[in-house]
């Protein structure tokens, strides 16, 4: 008789799970692209991510939160159940029966957290390996230099000595009286859409951190150690960037813009820098300007 009693129960559970699954599918289908990606920046309603890695980063973020939410619901449910099932009844006194040295339970709450930690580590290491793989022969090579408190950008050419490179030096953001920042005066990094990009990250003074918010990734910049970041921008537009490492008094003013443009517009921009005479090794140009009377390392910028 035992099997006959279990079969209807199993069928009832299946029928109960069906509407729950349908409701979950309908709810997810009604979510916007932003909601499906955990409200992270870098996505628009057309579904095109900002870079070739943005989807992967968002996936790790969202799936981690889903797992943690399930763990939280189970934990909260068990806590609530224990509080209700083992509450003191009327007429009871003293301590309830104590449960000690229950080996199955102890194994359970040791193994499950271990599995979760190993799983999070494995998926994070897998995605980090992809993010940190550098392109050997990128379409575009750029040097981004952080300084107190602005950014310089050099677009490398074909020559190893950077004699055919072009560059732009930026100034720190100066908010207006109402607190707004003039976006047109911020340093701007130009990137061609759908082209592989490799950025060398350097610092002139202290530790900075290069963060393009919508790209969902940032990397630190150190004195004497170059960092690299390889990716492919996949959607045209203007994106906000900033320093993500406290680097001094005007850290909050260390802002920049990123413009992902067509290949033709990118080449036109580089041509405008050549026409302005902003060519060669940016470090040599920076040193020359820094030694001019009345100028300093953070006020000698040529601008866009």
């Amino acid at each position: 008789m035992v099997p006959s009693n279990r079969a209807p129960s199993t069928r009832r559970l299946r029928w109960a799970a069906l509407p729950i699954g349908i409701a979950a599918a309908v709810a997810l289908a009604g979510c916007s692209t932003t909601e499906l990606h955990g409200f992270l920046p870098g996505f628009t309603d057309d579904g095109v991510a900002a870079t070739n890695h943005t989807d992967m980063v968002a996936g790790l973020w969202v799936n981690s939160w889903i797992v943690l939410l399930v763990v939280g619901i189970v934990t909260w449910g068990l806590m609530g159940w224990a509080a209700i099932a083992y509450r003191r009844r009327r007429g009871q006194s003293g301590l309830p029966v104590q449960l000690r040295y229950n080996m199955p339970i102890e194994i359970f709450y040791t193994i499950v957290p271990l599995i979760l930690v190993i799983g999070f580590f494995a998926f994070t290491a897998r995605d980090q390996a992809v993010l940190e793989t550098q392109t050997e022969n990128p379409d575009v090579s750029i040097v981004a230099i952080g300084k107190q408190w602005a950014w310089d950008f050099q677009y490398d050419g074909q020559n190893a000595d950077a004699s055919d490179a072009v560059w732009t030096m930026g100034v720190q953001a100066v908010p207006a009286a109402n607190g707004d920042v003039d976006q047109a005066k911020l340093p701007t990094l130009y990137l061609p859409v759908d082209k592989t990009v490799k950025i060398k990250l350097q610092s002139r003074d202290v530790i900075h951190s290069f963060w393009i918010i919508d790209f969902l990734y940032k990397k630190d910049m150190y004195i004497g150690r170059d960092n690299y970041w390889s990716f492919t921008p996949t959607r045209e537009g203007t994106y906000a960037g900033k320093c993500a490492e406290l680097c001094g008094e005007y850290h909050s003013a260390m802002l920049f813009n990123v413009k992902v443009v067509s290949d033709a517009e990118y080449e036109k921009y580089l041509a405008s820098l050549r026409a302005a005479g902003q060519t060669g090794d940016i470090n040599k140009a920076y040193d020359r300007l820094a030694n001019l009377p009345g100028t300093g390392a953070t006020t000698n910028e040529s601008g866009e």
Side-chain angles (χ1 to χ4, degrees), residues 7 35 47 67 81 124 131 133 139 154 165 220 226 230-231 251 254 264 274 290:
E35 292 169 340
V67 172
W81 173 77
T124 301
L131 290 167
T133 299
D139 298 320
Q154 175 174 297
D220 286 348
D226 297 339
S230 297
F231 60 94
H251 161 71
M254 197 168 170
R274 293 190 188 95

Side-chain angles (χ1 to χ4, degrees), residues 23 28 157 214 244:
L28 291 174
D214 283 31

Side-chain angles (χ1 to χ4, degrees), residues 224-242:
R225 175 184 172 183
D226 297 339
N227 259 343
Y228 294 87
W229 181 18
S230 297
F231 60 94
T232 302
T234 52
R235 189 180 74 234
E236 294 186 26
T238 300
Y239 304 93
K242 61 176 65 178

Side-chain angles (χ1 to χ4, degrees), residues 183 188-190 212 214-215 235-241 256-261 265:
Q183 297 294 321
T188 301
L189 172 64
Y190 277 73
I212 304 174
D214 283 31
F215 290 9
R235 189 180 74 234
E236 294 186 26
T238 300
Y239 304 93
F256 66 99
N257 287 324
V258 177
K259 287 190 176 181
V260 179
V261 298
E265 188 173 349

Side-chain angles (χ1 to χ4, degrees), residues 151-261:
W151 304 89
D152 296 342
F153 301 117
Q154 175 174 297
Y155 304 85
D156 289 337
Q158 301 298 320
N159 299 335
D161 61 356
S163 58
D164 59 340
V166 295
W167 48 261
T168 178
M169 295 184 187
V171 296
Q172 72 186 57
V174 179
N178 62 358
D180 293 337
V181 174
D182 187 350
Q183 297 294 321
K185 294 182 178 180
L186 292 180
T188 301
L189 172 64
Y190 277 73
L191 300 174
V193 69
D194 294 327
K195 298 288 185 180
T196 55
V197 175
K198 186 175 184 179
I199 301 180
K200 179 191 288 187
L201 302 169
Q202 299 179 333
S203 171
R204 293 198 190 278
D205 34 53
V206 299
I207 297 177
H208 299 287
S209 187
F210 186 78
W211 183 26
I212 304 174
I213 299 171
D214 283 31
F215 290 9
L216 303 184
Y217 203 60
K218 63 184 179 70
K219 297 201 74 171
D220 286 348
M221 313 162 84
Y222 307 94
I223 289 288
R225 175 184 172 183
D226 297 339
N227 259 343
Y228 294 87
W229 181 18
S230 297
F231 60 94
T232 302
T234 52
R235 189 180 74 234
E236 294 186 26
T238 300
Y239 304 93
K242 61 176 65 178
C243 177
E245 183 77 26
L246 183 59
C247 57
E249 183 178 4
Y250 297 103
H251 161 71
S252 61
M254 197 168 170
L255 309 175
F256 66 99
N257 287 324
V258 177
K259 287 190 176 181
V260 179
V261 298

Side-chain angles (χ1 to χ4, degrees), residues 147 152 167-171 276-278 285 289 299-304:
K147 60 188 180 183
D152 296 342
W167 48 261
T168 178
M169 295 184 187
V171 296
Q278 296 169 212
L289 291 171
T299 58
N300 58 12
E301 301 14 4
S302 300
E304 291 293 326

Side-chain angles (χ1 to χ4, degrees), residues 58-77:
L60 180 63
W61 169 266
V62 173
N63 290 327
S64 297
W65 275 109
I66 290 174
V67 172
L68 293 173
L69 181 60
V70 171
V71 172
I73 291 174
V74 172
T75 303
W76 299 326

